[in-house]
Amino acid sequence: MTDAALDERDDRGNWRPAEPIALAPINAWPPRPVAVLKWLFGFPGYIWPYHLFWLGVTLVTWAYLTPDLATMKTLELWWIALIHGRNLALIAFLFGGLHLYFHILRRQGDDRRYTTRPFPTDSGRFRFRDQVKDNMFHTLFWAVPVITAYEVITYWAFANGYLGFIDPGTNPVLFWGWFVVLLLVAPVIHSIHFYLGHRLLHVKFLYRSIHSLHHNNVDVGPWSGLSMHPVEHILYFSTVVVQWLLALHPVNALFQIHLAAFLPALSHSGFERLRIGKKLTLDGGSPFHYLHHKYFECNYGGSLTPLDGLFGTFHDGTDASHAAMRQRMRSRREAMN
Ligand SMILES: [Zn+2]
Ligand SMILES: [Zn+2]
């Protein structure tokens, strides 16, 4: 990407990256093994820091901020409250921290920001007439209890032997091998599950009654990420159910929950890149999902899987892609009429 891209802001303050959005190299056909290895193990890459960082958070949370599994055999208020308190703190720290960094302290100015429009503070679309306050409300009062509920069910079920049927002592190679495989594919599970649930929520009736709340955020910030209707929270975080079926260890389930909980903060940041110091920049708010918020009718999933491409809804940010989306919408309207 060239720095000239920084100057491509239109009259309304919109900015877009100079290069088209590309899918992860695992989607390339014919296969590109060198590109895949670079993407997996390079820096910044799929493993480090994008997912290993969050795995670190999961492991610290499991080791130091979660009661012993044996004590969670019976549902008791004290340990549920403990888990809920630490979830509130983690989410407030991450989402609030990014909002502070990007939008209050403006540490990056408008560098790689998709729009320069301020968040509405007097709009009937939002509770308290304020986008950020509305988003905080839906995140802290709805998203966090749903996260806690899924976690509590997970630990209680593992503690009682309803999940995770193989004991690490009887077959440690199988147990820990499967543990690592599930950690590696958790982001892909997240991506596929998100696509399917999200596509469902764009069915007219469900969109109007549930998902439109998330789409009140046309211009996004970190707090937009988990600002959803409670029914959408239940659907979105049900990605952990995949781990209930597959996992042998609760950490796999917690990692799956954490990906769903934490990734939206940066992916909705409103900035394409996160600058850390003078030299390092990391992927910020994905242009992929930003275009979904802007145009609604494209990019239902993410760039990890080819699902949008397969179903004809991929928008790579170029004018050609935009024209194709408009044509698709016109054809659909005509078919309905
Ligand atoms: Zn979104
Ligand atoms: Zn949507």
Side-chain angles (χ1 to χ4, degrees), residues 214 224-225 268 289 292-293:
H214 183 63
S224 306
H268 289 78
H289 192 63
H292 178 72
H293 275 269

Side-chain angles (χ1 to χ4, degrees), residues 198 202 207 211 214-215 289 292 296 300:
H198 191 188
H202 273 262
Y207 181 85
H211 188 51
H214 183 63
H215 276 284
H289 192 63
H292 178 72
F296 302 84
Y300 295 98

